[in-house]
Amino acid sequence: MTTSKTSDNVRHGNGGDTPYSFKRSHSTESVHTTYSNLGPAVETDDSVSVAGRLMLRRLQGRIAFGVLADATGRIQLFATKADTPKFKQFTELSIGDWVGVTGVVMTTRRGELSVRVDDWKVLAHTQQPFPDKWHGIVDTDIRYRQRYLDLWVSENTRKVFQQRSKIVSTLRKNLEQQDFVEVETPMLHPIPGGASAQPFITHHNALNAQMYLRIAPELYLKRLIVAGMERVFEIGRVFRNEGLSTRHNPEFTMLELYWAYADYNDIMALTEKLIADVASEVCGTTKIEYAGRAVDLTPPWQRCTLEEAISEHAGFEVNIDMPRSELVAHCQQLGIEVRENYGPGKLVLEIYEKTAEPELWGPVFVTDYPIEVSPLARQHRLRKGYAERFEGIVAGRELCNAFSELVDPDEQRLRFEEQEAQRTAGDVEAMVVDTDYLSALKHGLPPTGGLGIGIDRLTMLLTDTSAIRDVILFPTLRPEQT
């Protein structure tokens, strides 16, 4: 079978189809590392092969310069009419073309480390205009829809995602060093559960069954504690059918862990050390800056109850034992929508989220949430009506959520039934009764502490990024207008 040559191959003088492979001897970074001490106007005897995109080129008579970029960095290309084959075709390459170059390592008279173009091949053509190296992509919508271009032209974008990778890697290594075992649990669930959120619904054809993309791995991970796996964690995607904002994307990444024989005090100590260790590894310090303000992640973090936070930032006292009418009045004064099915615990939480949470620069562990809004958490050992639950708040937003886990199957059934009643009343985020999980609990769940950390929000914090879309490679976007 014969194949025709594309017009691009003719235009670039490639003489045929692009090659199936190219053998590199060096990355651009390794060239810089190996030859960093060369002075100006030096030509070595060492020939290297490098490959990447052509990001810049300029012609100066019988000499042409280019900038080759790969995943590790950039190197200057130095082509001459005397030494470079198909010199004219080389000068006609398009910005964004992939090329493989072989040549000696040298420096220009100005001392710029370069690879002389003694041989070259086009590895792939760009048939779309490539963004200007100096101005990048100005349209933010294009940045997110064409992330493959944004990563090439924006050094900061590349750095954010390199740091994100390091954050995940450091979390994983840290937990493994503490004898946590990484596991994988289902993403397709027969019923929604594990968190209060509206699920995405799908259909399994072979089983003719409605299924749900997971909103949390919690209930499966706790089944593993029942099974005798004393320390488990999972890092993976979860899906919540909610709106888009600077803090919310319908699919995002969570770290969830469960630790047998621990309670929420143990989890607080684990959390502050874990995040401090990640900050030290990724940022080089636990004292970082976010949005122009200092954040000190050094343990120990401040602790306060939910009600103490409200008192400090709202200027009035509330608790779950107050008459509902008083709590409703506070909500109305604050412009908070109140639904008929909101009990005192939910109203107190709404007041906290309106008045206190945005003002908590932290880091601070806000503790002792009402049981009404904590259906999977254990009853507080000292405060009736409250749960042993905390959220870690940094820079005015929730970074993590944790409990002493509810272990009593009868109490858990009652909580599920209360949630299902809320769902029947119109709360699409409420849970349903999970009979299989209740069956697991009946086999015995030992005292257990659990933790969920939002990887995207942690990445935002440690990279000083204000929008969640900037730390997700391919964020969910509204359909393009045609």
Side-chain angles (χ1 to χ4, degrees):
M1 184 177 74
T2 60
T3 57
S4 62
K5 300 176 183 178
T6 67
S7 59
D8 274 339
N9 283 330
V10 173
R11 172 174 61 85
H12 290 302
N14 192 28
D17 292 334
T18 55
Y20 283 80
S21 66
F22 184 84
K23 303 299 182 184
R24 294 191 305 172
S25 65
H26 290 70
S27 66
T28 59
E29 181 182 51
S30 65
V31 174
H32 280 285
T33 300
T34 304
Y35 299 95
S36 60
N37 295 324
L38 291 183
V42 174
E43 185 175 301
T44 72
D45 294 326
D46 301 338
S47 181
V48 299
S49 293
V50 293
R53 279 195 193 271
L54 187 67
M55 299 300 290
L56 182 70
R57 62 169 170 75
R58 67 182 188 277
L59 179 64
Q60 294 182 353
R62 300 171 66 87
I63 297 174
F65 296 93
V67 172
L68 183 80
D70 64 11
T72 66
R74 301 182 178 212
I75 191 78
Q76 179 169 276
L77 303 178
F78 181 82
T80 68
K81 191 168 185 178
D83 298 314
T84 302
K86 301 181 294 235
F87 176 77
K88 182 175 185 297
Q89 289 90 335
F90 181 84
T91 65
E92 295 172 347
L93 287 170
S94 295
I95 300 303
D97 280 348
W98 293 81
V99 293
V101 172
T102 300
V104 299
V105 179
M106 56 167 286
T107 54
T108 64
R109 284 180 293 180
R110 294 185 177 182
E112 181 73 23
L113 186 65
S114 309
V115 174
R116 192 179 70 197
V117 184
D118 297 334
D119 191 20
W120 65 279
K121 293 181 174 66
V122 173
L123 306 181
H125 303 294
T126 178
Q127 298 179 26
Q128 296 281 2
F130 218 74
D132 186 298
K133 173 184 182 294
W134 304 109
H135 299 95
I137 301 175
V138 177
D139 188 324
T140 55
D141 190 60
I142 293 177
R143 283 185 56 218
Y144 301 132
R145 294 188 191 279
Q146 299 183 29
R147 183 72 85 184
Y148 45 88
L149 297 182
D150 183 34
L151 287 163
W152 276 110
V153 301
S154 171
E155 182 178 354
N156 185 63
T157 300
R158 293 194 301 274
K159 183 179 178 182
V160 164
F161 289 105
Q162 288 164 352
Q163 288 176 304
R164 179 184 175 116
S165 177
K166 195 170 185 179
I167 288 166
V168 173
S169 175
T170 304
L171 286 168
R172 178 175 282 115
K173 290 175 184 175
N174 192 303
L175 290 172
E176 288 173 344
Q177 289 168 359
Q178 298 183 67
D179 297 325
F180 281 86
V181 176
E182 185 171 12
V183 297
E184 295 177 309
T185 61
M187 287 193 178
L188 285 175
H189 289 189
I191 60 174
S196 297
Q198 185 174 2
F200 285 94
I201 303 172
T202 186
H203 187 82
H204 191 293
N205 291 336
L207 296 178
N208 191 28
Q210 181 169 282
M211 303 196 81
Y212 304 85
L213 295 182
R214 73 175 178 194
I215 55 179
E218 176 167 343
L219 301 185
Y220 283 96
L221 291 172
K222 287 193 283 193
R223 285 172 170 89
L224 297 179
I225 300 294
V226 172
M229 298 180 69
E230 297 178 358
R231 301 185 186 202
V232 296
F233 76 96
E234 182 170 9
I235 299 173
R237 286 292 176 118
V238 295
F239 306 85
R240 299 183 183 180
N241 202 345
E242 58 191 16
L244 302 172
S245 76
T246 57
R247 301 185 186 186
H248 298 90
N249 194 70
E251 56 175 315
F252 57 98
T253 304
M254 288 283 291
L255 160 66
E256 285 214 17
L257 65 84
Y258 293 86
W259 179 7
Y261 316 121
D263 67 7
Y264 80 145
N265 294 303
D266 299 308
I267 298 296
M268 277 187 237
L270 172 71
T271 301
E272 62 191 4
K273 182 179 185 305
L274 187 63
I275 292 177
D277 287 349
V278 173
S280 294
E281 181 67 25
V282 174
C283 306
T285 178
T286 56
K287 297 179 180 180
I288 64 172
E289 187 174 282
Y290 185 80
R293 293 179 62 182
V295 180
D296 188 352
L297 298 171
T298 309
W301 294 5
Q302 179 189 353
R303 273 91 161 146
C304 73
T305 67
L306 188 81
E307 292 161 351
E308 288 169 344
I310 294 172
S311 175
E312 179 180 350
H313 294 281
F316 54 81
E317 305 278 340
V318 296
N319 61 67
I320 62 173
D321 298 318
M322 292 174 61
R324 184 178 185 277
S325 59
E326 291 186 28
L327 293 171
V328 169
H330 282 304
C331 288
Q332 291 172 339
Q333 290 171 0
L334 293 167
I336 298 171
E337 179 186 358
V338 176
R339 299 180 182 176
E340 288 297 323
N341 61 328
Y342 285 4
K346 176 64 172 173
L347 294 171
V348 168
L349 180 64
E350 290 287 327
I351 292 169
Y352 159 76
E353 290 181 345
K354 179 74 171 184
T355 63
E357 184 178 81
E359 303 302 320
L360 295 173
W361 196 250
V364 56
F365 290 128
V366 179
T367 67
D368 301 3
Y369 283 63
I371 280 180
E372 180 187 341
V373 293
S374 311
L376 299 170
R378 193 167 187 173
Q379 161 76 42
H380 198 288
R381 68 195 77 182
L382 299 175
R383 303 185 69 197
K384 186 177 180 180
Y386 292 85
E388 292 200 348
R389 171 186 171 187
F390 73 82
E391 288 187 359
I393 309 298
V394 186
R397 65 188 61 165
E398 174 197 343
L399 187 64
C400 60
N401 188 24
F403 322 139
S404 296
E405 301 296 331
L406 179 55
V407 300
D408 183 334
D410 296 328
E411 176 64 21
Q412 185 65 79
R413 176 177 288 277
L414 291 174
R415 303 269 194 94
F416 278 153
E417 289 172 350
E418 290 169 0
Q419 284 285 299
E420 196 158 64
Q422 295 288 337
R423 192 177 187 86
T424 301
D427 185 351
V428 295
E429 296 187 349
M431 300 180 198
V432 298
V433 176
D434 188 333
T435 55
D436 183 74
Y437 176 66
L438 292 173
S439 177
L441 283 186
K442 288 180 180 179
H443 287 85
L445 177 66
T448 298
L451 169 68
I453 297 176
I455 297 298
D456 309 279
R457 290 189 181 181
L458 179 58
T459 303
M460 290 170 66
L461 175 68
L462 297 184
T463 60
D464 194 9
T465 301
S466 60
I468 195 169
R469 290 181 298 178
D470 289 322
V471 300
I472 296 176
L473 279 168
F474 300 102
T476 304
L477 302 171
R478 302 183 191 280
E480 288 190 88
Q481 299 297 316
T482 56

